[in-house]
Amino acid sequence: MATITKPKTNSDLAQATDSQPKVAPAKALIQGLVFGVVFGFLLQKGGVAKFHVLVGQLLLVDYTVVKVMLSAVVVGALGIHFLHRAGLVEMHIKPTRFASNTLGGLLFGVGFALSAYCPGTGAAALGQGNYDALAMVMGMIAGSFMFAEMSGWISRHIDPIGDRGKLTLYDLLPVNRTLVVMGSVALLVVVLIAMETLATR
Amino acid sequence: MLELIAPIWIIGEVDPLQYPGPAWSPYIVGALIGVLSMLTFYFSNKPLGASNAYARVAGSIGLQVAPGHTRSLKYFKDNPPKVGWELMLVLAVVAGSFLAAWMGGELTGKFLPAMWQERFGSDSYLLRGVVALVGGVLMAFGARMAGGCTSGHGISGTLQLAIGSWVSAICFFIGGIVTAMLMYAV
């Protein structure tokens, strides 16, 4: 695969000639592949690639999905907080935009229930042999383009509503950041214990 | 509208718990995904996230069909289509899941999931195809608008205690619960 270098001085020329997507360095591609295989393996073993497990979660009878997510958050929140404190990783905080987060989140939720897969677990479902996930994949590609068509308008009219930038819980609370992380993790562990005690699965 | 069209298709009641659950403990799997996210932060300087791979593919197709127009769109100006880490991740998820299902004897090889058939009938191929396709469209649009999906916001964002990620993740479930109740529990 050839990497096409885009002339920086003449964007018109680039528009006329450069119709191939750029390709990232081999190291990034290989890392993506390795992490993806592990991620897919775990998603399947965790049962979250199964149609009835996802629908069961949304019907509030099977808590597998939330158990997997919150366990990942507990371990990841502690791990990444301390890696960051040690100066080993950078944070990747996405902006808080209340209108876009809420509207986009609700739309996503409707699609989540309709397909009974999400973007990651849908790929896992496909690997497991749920061929209907192919329809979801095609829809995802089409939906991404539809969003891109409207992205200018959304960024002008919706994104600015309740735009708070890269806001985190430790920006809001007047206490030490490690304490906020520990407190949040403790709270999530309590939620997990409650689920294990109260839910059938 | 759902009340008008639903009775035509709905065959029976469903109980998700009568089908097999996860092969491994969800806590172990979740904890390992937490470790995996530490590794992606450390080695790749990237959070785990799936949805933008689809946007990269959409942009790449756009570049073939209508390059000038694709390039003029704000989203693709900010996020130029490329073959990168994110796309490799999602492609490899398919392979990793195949491996896990094959090793565990859980390969399905079906278009219609068992529980779907119980609810909507064993010949509901077209309905399932359309519903999954529309679901994909809404998820992609919603994920791009919210800034991430169940992995990008739901795991990677929430574990950094980002407020927008928690708001988005809670909205994913509100939208999903209401819709699923209408589809399967009415």
Side-chain angles (χ1 to χ4, degrees), chain A residues 18-19 22 24 31 44-45 50 52 92 94 96 101 115 118-119 124 128-132 149 151 169 196 201, chain B residues 19-21 24 27 30 44-45 54 64 69 71 75 83 97 106 108-110 128 146-147 150 160-161 164:
Chain A
D18 176 10
S19 68
K22 289 200 206 65
Q31 285 183 351
Q44 202 284 331
K45 287 296 182 197
K50 293 177 177 172
H52 55 268
H92 297 274
K94 296 182 180 198
T96 294
N101 291 150
S115 60
C118 55
Q128 172 189 273
N130 295 25
Y131 301 135
D132 55 333
E149 289 285 345
S151 56
L169 191 59
E196 180 59 25
R201 186 195 280 167
Chain B
Y19 301 98
W24 290 2
Y27 305 110
S44 304
N45 194 22
Y54 299 86
Q64 304 303 313
H69 176 67
R71 245 179 263 286
Y75 178 76
V83 177
S97 173
E106 289 195 308
T108 53
K110 276 191 213 147
R128 177 59 189 150
T150 356
Q160 297 178 84
L161 305 182

Side-chain angles (χ1 to χ4, degrees), chain A residues 32-73:
Chain A
L33 281 174
V34 172
F35 291 134
V37 167
V38 177
F39 192 33
F41 192 93
L42 291 172
L43 290 173
Q44 202 284 331
K45 287 296 182 197
V48 294
K50 293 177 177 172
F51 178 92
H52 55 268
V53 169
L54 273 167
V55 175
Q57 177 63 69
L58 296 177
L59 294 176
L60 304 176
V61 292
D62 179 338
Y63 283 80
T64 304
V65 175
V66 174
K67 286 176 187 171
V68 169
M69 288 176 75
L70 292 187
S71 306
V73 173

Side-chain angles (χ1 to χ4, degrees), chain B:
Chain B
M1 197 177 101
L2 197 79
E3 291 77 16
L4 288 174
I5 59 167
I8 306 169
W9 281 305
I10 288 174
I11 306 290
E13 305 252 313
V14 288
D15 172 18
L17 294 180
Q18 69 169 311
Y19 301 98
W24 290 2
S25 155
Y27 305 110
I28 305 243
V29 168
L32 290 173
I33 291 174
V35 172
L36 181 66
S37 68
M38 290 162 64
L39 296 176
T40 66
F41 268 69
Y42 182 76
F43 287 103
S44 304
N45 194 22
K46 281 179 189 296
L48 279 176
S51 63
N52 72 44
Y54 299 86
R56 297 275 164 89
V57 174
S60 302
I61 294 171
L63 284 183
Q64 304 303 313
V65 179
H69 176 67
T70 301
R71 245 179 263 286
S72 74
L73 300 174
K74 179 174 169 32
Y75 178 76
F76 292 128
K77 276 184 190 160
D78 298 344
N79 305 273
K82 69 170 180 186
V83 177
W85 190 89
E86 294 83 357
L87 182 57
M88 291 298 117
L89 184 88
V90 170
L91 289 176
V93 162
V94 180
S97 173
F98 170 79
L99 198 66
W102 175 65
M103 284 168 61
E106 289 195 308
L107 285 172
T108 53
K110 276 191 213 147
F111 190 82
L112 293 181
M115 201 180 88
W116 170 278
Q117 287 191 44
E118 200 184 342
R119 182 70 168 166
F120 297 104
S122 55
D123 56 352
S124 54
Y125 289 94
L126 182 65
L127 180 67
R128 177 59 189 150
V130 171
V131 166
L133 184 86
V134 173
V137 169
L138 292 174
M139 274 200 295
F141 197 99
R144 291 281 61 77
M145 193 168 168
C149 63
T150 356
S151 37
H153 268 318
I155 294 176
S156 308
T158 54
L159 69 79
Q160 297 178 84
L161 305 182
I163 301 296
S165 295
W166 277 99
V167 170
S168 301
I170 289 166
C171 289
F172 296 163
F173 281 93
I174 294 174
I177 289 166
V178 170
T179 310
M181 293 284 181
L182 289 170
M183 287 176 75
Y184 296 96
V186 178

